[in-house]
């Protein structure tokens, strides 16, 4: 298998070209957006809850590299029907196994962007724990 | 049966690692007694930097290509090395800076401007290096906080009974002290100062530039909130230092330098900052130098900080015993058993610059001046001192040459 085929294996290209659960949900119960400063990837994830904390539906929009968008698409399939608490504690390896390609540290940040954003959305709506790297506001400049 | 013999260092084997000792000055090898100012460099560190520049070099954090990954791994590996060296709980708490001075300015500006105001008190010590003195003096002035010092006694040791009085002057918000005085070699009780600082609700800022090359610095055991070190005193390259800061203080803190790499996203109206430690590392960092610092720490760690401390202590004892026999030399600071590898002194009636000049003709390199501690010079009642300082490569012969050189100084100018 060539290096190209390893990284951009068919399922990645499929999710990239035809992302699942694409488009933001209206109405939604939770929403968050995030960026990966390394590649400039952007992802917004919206969530609608069913009974209790069950994630009934999830939709996303974004733009960025194939890995970031495909990984978020795969994530949306992975989380539907599971509870906010469960997903907030979802080990990143579960998603990485699903993605199933060798990732360097830089590309790992692309692959995990959507999961981080989803956890932030769940935190905002349900108070579940934030992922470590999103744990505290690192601050901003806001002129408006 | 195992013995508990303390490991010692083989100084002659170590000296072979330092190319500078092969150089001649006026036909003489150098007796380098200015390591408190900056240390000499071992081949191992230089080789590591050369290999990095030759085989692993590209800009860090950005590139997708394999060479950039190598560079990033080198840089982040150096961060892990610094974190382990200081026993930091997380490498995210290690911010690379240009120097200890920049690390201390980072805290004074980024923390100080947001957290200090009228009625607050900034406490420093009378034997502070200007790097941990002037930034606080300036930020205190800018914010309206008062600026007070812990005085020293005649042996150059902090008078802790002054602390109660300082606490009555207002709300103490910062206590900033060096771990080891670069001028006198005094080892300050920074753990005790940190406890007191926290009792006042203040942060404890430790300048460990002069300590970290010579004795173990454990940020958790010290109980400090910020600890600054520099590479060039530690067998590392110039242009690289590090700040350790407690995560819960670093996270809400304002940035210091702004620009690339420290951002998460940038817009015309709004910019969001990056996570730790990158929030405090704007621009392309001195990452090859960070790799050099990592190699220097590996080198110094391989020799062993306890062994280095003991080695220097023996040289301090030798020098102070020799000076004790000479009535026209006056040594400043505490007794040998309570100081690091630094001896500041004056030669009666002869200016330190003249002392250093004549010693240089003997191949003996010492520092003459105020050592960036002018308030301390004022307290000692001198304009300058001559300072001899030791490191892992210093030998008893260096001390013998110093003493012989001083006798020549006295004979020619005294």
């Amino acid at each position: 298998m060539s290096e190209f085929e390893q990284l951009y294996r068919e399922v990645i290209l499929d999710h990239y070209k035809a992302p699942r659960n694409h488009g933001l949900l209206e109405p939604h119960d939770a929403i968050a957006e995030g960026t990966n400063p390394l590649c400039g990837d952007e992802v917004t994830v919206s969530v609608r809850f069913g009974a209790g904390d069950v994630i009934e539906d999830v939709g996303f929009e974004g733009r960025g590299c194939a890995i970031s968008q495909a990984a978020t698409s795969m994530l949306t399939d992975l989380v539907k029907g599971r509870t906010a608490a469960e997903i907030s504690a979802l080990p990143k390896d579960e998603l990485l196994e699903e993605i199933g390609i060798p990732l360097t540290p830089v590309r790992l940040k692309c692959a995990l962007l959507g999961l981080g954003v989803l956890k932030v959305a769940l935190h905002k709506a349900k108070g579940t724990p934030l992922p470590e790297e999103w744990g505290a506001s690192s601050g901003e400049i806001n002129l408006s | 049966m195992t013995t508990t013999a303390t490991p010692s260092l083989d100084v002659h084997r170590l000296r072979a690692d330092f190319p500078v000792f092969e150089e001649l000055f006026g036909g003489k090898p150098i007796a380098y007694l200015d390591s408190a100012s900056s240390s000499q460099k071992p081949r191992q560190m230089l080789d590591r930097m050369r290999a990095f520049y030759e085989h692993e070099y590209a800009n860090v954090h950005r590139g997708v290509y394999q060479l950039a990954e190598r560079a990033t791994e080198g840089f982040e590996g150096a961060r892990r090395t610094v974190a382990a060296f200081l026993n930091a709980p997380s490498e995210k708490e290690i911010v690379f800076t240009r120097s200890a001075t920049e690390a201390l300015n980072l805290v004074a500006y980024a923390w100080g401007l947001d957290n200090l105001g009228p009625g607050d008190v900034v406490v420093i010590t009378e034997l502070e290096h200007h790097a941990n003195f002037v930034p606080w003096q300036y930020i205190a002035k800018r914010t309206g906080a008062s600026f007070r010092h812990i005085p020293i006694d005649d042996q150059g040791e902090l008078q802790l009974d002054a602390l109660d009085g300082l606490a009555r002057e207002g709300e103490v918000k910062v206590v900033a002290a060096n771990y080891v005085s670069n001028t006198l070699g005094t080892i300050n009780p920074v753990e005790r100062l940190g406890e007191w600082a926290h009792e006042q609700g203040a942060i404890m800022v430790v300048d460990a530039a002069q300590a970290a090359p010579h004795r173990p610095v454990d940020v958790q055991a010290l109980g400090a909130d910020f600890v600054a070190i520099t590479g060039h005193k530690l067998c590392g390259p110039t242009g690289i230092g590090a700040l350790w800061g407690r995560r819960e203080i670093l996270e809400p803190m304002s940035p210091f330098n702004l620009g690339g790499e420290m951002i998460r996203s940038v817009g015309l109206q709004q910019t969001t900052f990056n996570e730790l430690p990158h929030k405090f590392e704007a621009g392309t960092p001195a990452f090859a130098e960070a790799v050099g610092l990592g190699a220097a720490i590996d080198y110094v760690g391989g020799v062993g900080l306890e062994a280095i401390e003991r080695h220097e202590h023996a040289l301090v004892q030798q020098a102070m015993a020799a000076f004790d026999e000479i009535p026209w030399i006056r040594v400043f600071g505490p007794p040998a058993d309570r100081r690091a590898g630094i001896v500041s002194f004056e030669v009666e009636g002869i200016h330190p610059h003249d002392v250093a000049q004549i010693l240089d003709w003997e191949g003996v390199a010492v520092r003459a001046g105020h050592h960036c501690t002018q308030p301390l010079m004022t307290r000692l009642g001198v304009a300058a001192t001559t300072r001899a300082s030791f490191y892992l490569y210093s030998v008893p012969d260096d001390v013998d040459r110093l003493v012989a050189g001083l006798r020549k100084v006295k004979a020619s100018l005294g």
Side-chain angles (χ1 to χ4, degrees):
Chain A
M1 201 159 48
S2 75
E3 280 161 331
F4 180 87
E5 285 162 343
Q6 269 184 42
L7 187 58
Y8 297 96
R9 68 189 185 105
E10 206 173 316
V11 62
I12 299 286
L13 291 178
D14 179 46
H15 275 269
Y16 178 52
K17 289 173 180 165
R20 320 297 193 263
N21 305 301
H22 200 254
L24 297 180
L25 303 176
E26 287 301 344
H28 54 253
D29 300 314
I31 191 162
E33 60 180 36
T35 60
N36 167 15
L38 301 166
C39 289
D41 303 323
E42 299 171 6
V43 164
T44 305
V45 178
S46 58
V47 178
R48 195 153 56 217
F49 296 107
D53 285 353
V54 171
I55 298 171
E56 183 185 84
D57 201 2
V58 57
F60 84 100
E61 273 183 0
R63 57 177 185 179
C65 69
I67 304 295
S68 71
Q69 304 304 310
T72 306
S73 170
M74 294 164 95
L75 173 76
T76 56
D77 273 348
L78 198 72
V79 301
K80 267 197 257 184
R82 299 168 76 173
T83 66
E86 192 186 349
I87 297 306
S88 73
L90 187 81
K92 62 186 179 195
D93 285 345
E94 189 176 332
L95 176 61
L96 294 177
E97 272 171 35
E98 188 75 16
I99 298 168
I101 54 174
L103 289 167
T104 60
V106 169
R107 301 316 295 274
L108 204 55
K109 298 204 176 199
C110 307
L112 295 175
L113 174 63
L115 179 59
V117 172
L118 173 61
K119 287 184 179 183
V120 172
L122 298 177
H123 169 76
K124 280 158 72 175
K126 300 288 182 186
T128 50
L130 281 170
E132 191 198 6
E133 63 274 23
W134 301 71
S137 163
S138 44
E140 62 174 23
I141 304 166
N142 194 335
L143 302 180
S144 54
Chain B
M1 199 181 93
T2 56
T3 62
T4 52
T6 47
S8 59
L9 55 82
D10 180 349
V11 68
H12 294 287
R13 186 177 59 77
L14 293 177
R15 281 172 78 84
D17 295 333
F18 291 80
V20 74
F21 295 125
E22 294 156 20
E23 296 293 315
L24 296 179
F25 301 84
K28 300 182 175 93
I30 194 167
Y32 185 74
L33 295 173
D34 197 20
S35 292
S37 180
S38 199
S39 75
Q40 294 300 329
K41 311 305 172 197
R43 275 194 188 87
Q44 288 85 339
M45 183 279 286
L46 300 168
D47 289 349
R48 179 69 192 96
M49 279 188 75
R50 185 180 185 94
F52 183 80
Y53 269 125
E54 287 182 345
H55 306 291
E56 299 162 55
Y57 184 84
N59 209 336
V60 289
H61 292 313
R62 243 145 259 283
V64 166
Y65 47 92
Q66 294 166 58
L67 183 58
E69 279 165 21
R70 254 190 225 183
T72 303
E73 179 47 35
F75 182 43
E76 293 305 323
R79 196 188 305 280
R80 290 192 293 274
T81 301
V82 173
F85 182 64
L86 297 176
N87 194 29
S90 163
E91 72 253 27
K92 287 180 186 293
E93 298 178 334
I94 301 294
V95 177
F96 280 115
T97 61
R98 180 163 68 80
S99 56
T101 297
E102 190 184 52
L104 294 164
N105 272 272
L106 190 163
V107 180
Y109 273 86
W111 188 90
L113 284 177
D114 285 347
N115 289 285
L116 294 173
D120 294 337
V121 184
V122 174
V123 175
I124 48 83
T125 79
E126 200 168 19
L127 37 63
E128 246 7 74
H129 188 284
H130 294 166
N132 203 23
F133 185 104
V134 183
W136 292 113
Q137 189 178 44
Y138 179 72
I139 296 299
K141 171 79 179 165
R142 284 269 301 264
T143 57
S146 43
F147 181 70
R148 295 285 181 273
H149 70 268
I150 305 169
I152 54 168
D153 61 21
D154 290 339
Q155 288 201 310
E157 294 179 300
L158 294 178
Q159 293 184 299
L160 296 184
D161 50 9
L163 293 177
D164 289 343
L166 292 169
R168 286 192 292 271
E169 295 204 18
E171 195 170 342
V172 178
K173 285 282 187 69
V174 181
V175 179
N178 51 20
Y179 191 171
V180 169
S181 158
N182 68 302
T183 301
L184 299 181
T186 310
I187 301 158
N188 286 323
V190 285
E191 298 97 329
R192 173 73 196 90
L193 288 176
E195 282 170 22
W196 181 78
H198 292 147
E199 284 163 22
Q200 314 304 311
I203 61 163
M204 180 71 208
V205 181
V206 176
D207 172 3
Q210 204 61 247
H214 307 281
R215 53 176 38 235
V217 174
D218 178 333
V219 298
Q220 299 188 62
L222 286 181
D225 299 296
F226 291 100
V227 174
I229 65 166
T230 192
H232 72 91
K233 293 184 200 293
L234 211 163
C235 292
T238 56
I240 188 75
L243 173 70
W244 168 80
R246 209 179 275 285
R247 185 176 189 150
E248 50 272 32
I249 302 176
L250 283 177
E251 240 154 18
M253 213 163 100
S254 292
F256 179 42
N257 291 318
L258 298 105
E261 181 62 25
M262 57 77 64
I263 52 90
R264 196 188 290 280
S265 70
V266 177
L268 290 175
Q269 292 295 311
Q270 188 176 10
T271 287
T272 313
F273 304 138
N274 204 343
E275 67 196 52
L276 295 180
H278 310 295
K279 181 168 86 172
F280 295 105
E281 293 181 354
T284 294
F287 57 87
E289 287 69 24
V291 168
L293 172 57
I297 287 173
D298 288 343
Y299 181 83
V300 168
V303 175
L305 284 163
E306 287 86 358
I308 292 170
E309 198 179 350
R310 250 191 324 277
H311 175 73
E312 293 172 0
H313 183 64
L315 294 165
V316 164
Q317 280 183 313
Q318 181 194 349
M320 288 181 72
F323 289 167
D324 229 25
E325 304 290 309
I326 304 174
W328 39 267
I329 289 181
R330 176 182 162 213
V331 173
F332 301 103
D337 60 353
R338 296 208 299 272
R339 69 162 73 204
I342 294 171
V343 183
S344 259
F345 57 93
E346 77 174 347
V347 179
E348 190 182 271
I350 305 174
H351 192 278
H353 284 141
D354 298 318
V355 173
Q357 180 66 68
I358 295 169
L359 287 175
D360 178 54
W361 294 330
E362 302 300 319
V364 177
V366 295
R367 182 72 181 275
H370 54 65
H371 318 294
C372 295
T373 54
Q374 288 182 7
L376 174 59
M377 295 294 111
T378 304
R379 170 64 175 81
L380 297 175
V382 295
T385 72
T386 307
R387 180 186 70 184
S389 53
F390 309 110
Y391 204 12
L392 55 92
Y393 42 66
S394 305
V395 285
D397 185 54
D398 294 339
V399 178
D400 292 340
R401 288 174 66 191
L402 170 67
V403 173
L406 288 169
R407 292 191 188 283
K408 284 199 181 179
V409 170
K410 184 67 178 169
S412 45
L413 284 179

